[in-house]
């Protein structure tokens, strides 16, 4: 379920959106409620008017599993889409267990990326595209933003 912060809640970065989730969760706990445990943020210009939107959500039983409908094994209780997006960044309060059936716990999510291209004076050499992932090269990718 989407929280009170959605299309009208803008944040300058994914980190700020994550912090907003943490702050909302802390306020909710003081009031005896469950707060945000999932956030989604769009930092891409491709998002248009949704750019910098920060959606704070609550997904109860996020990593819970239930028996699969066919009786073979288990499945995620909550529908989870695992993958990457060039537009949206998301996070959760807790990491997925390594054995979660969604596959979310198999690898750490791909960090934000910074892209640049090298174009050589000799066109025969072609073009080289370099992607720096924030998780692997935080200072270098930060300088390119």
């Amino acid at each position: 379920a989407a929280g009170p912060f959605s299309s009208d809640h803008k944040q300058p970065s994914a980190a700020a959106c994550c912090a907003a989730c943490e702050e909302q969760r802390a306020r909710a706990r003081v009031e005896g409620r469950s707060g945000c445990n999932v956030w989604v943020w769009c930092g891409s210009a491709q998002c248009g008017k949704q750019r910098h939107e920060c959606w704070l959500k609550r997904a109860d039983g996020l990593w819970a599993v239930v028996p699969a409908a066919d009786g073979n094994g288990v499945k995620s209780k909550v529908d989870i889409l695992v993958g990457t997006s060039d537009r949206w960044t998301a996070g959760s309060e807790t990491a997925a267990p390594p054995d979660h059936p969604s596959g979310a716990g198999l690898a750490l999510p791909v960090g934000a990326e910074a892209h640049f291209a090298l174009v050589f004076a000799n066109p025969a050499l072609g073009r080289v595209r370099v992607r720096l992932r924030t998780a692997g090269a935080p200072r270098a990718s930060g300088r390119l933003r």
Side-chain angles (χ1 to χ4, degrees):
F5 303 106
S6 51
S7 60
D8 62 342
H9 184 237
K10 305 276 186 170
Q11 289 292 338
S13 67
C17 186
C18 178
C21 183
E22 290 173 354
E23 291 167 10
Q24 191 275 343
R25 182 172 54 251
R27 284 192 308 274
R29 284 187 179 147
V30 167
E31 298 168 2
R33 299 181 296 113
S34 296
C36 173
N37 70 344
V38 177
W39 56 268
V40 180
W41 179 80
C42 183
S44 170
Q46 294 173 331
C47 292
K49 66 182 181 179
Q50 291 180 311
R51 187 167 191 211
H52 293 169
E53 282 185 8
C54 173
W55 291 70
L56 305 183
K57 303 178 180 191
R58 176 83 198 164
D60 291 321
L62 180 61
W63 305 119
V65 294
V66 295
D70 63 7
N72 294 319
V74 295
K75 70 177 191 78
S76 179
K77 178 180 174 185
V78 177
D79 289 331
I80 299 173
L81 177 63
V82 177
T84 59
S85 169
D86 60 348
R87 297 179 186 187
W88 294 94
T89 302
S92 63
E93 176 184 16
T94 57
D99 60 347
H100 194 268
S102 69
L106 295 177
L108 294 174
V110 176
E113 299 177 350
H115 299 261
F116 67 94
L118 300 173
V119 180
F120 300 101
N122 180 345
L125 295 175
R127 184 179 190 158
V128 175
R129 184 173 176 207
V130 178
R131 293 176 7 176
L132 297 175
R133 298 184 190 277
T134 301
R139 288 182 295 183
S141 62
R143 287 187 198 112
L144 294 172
R145 295 193 192 288

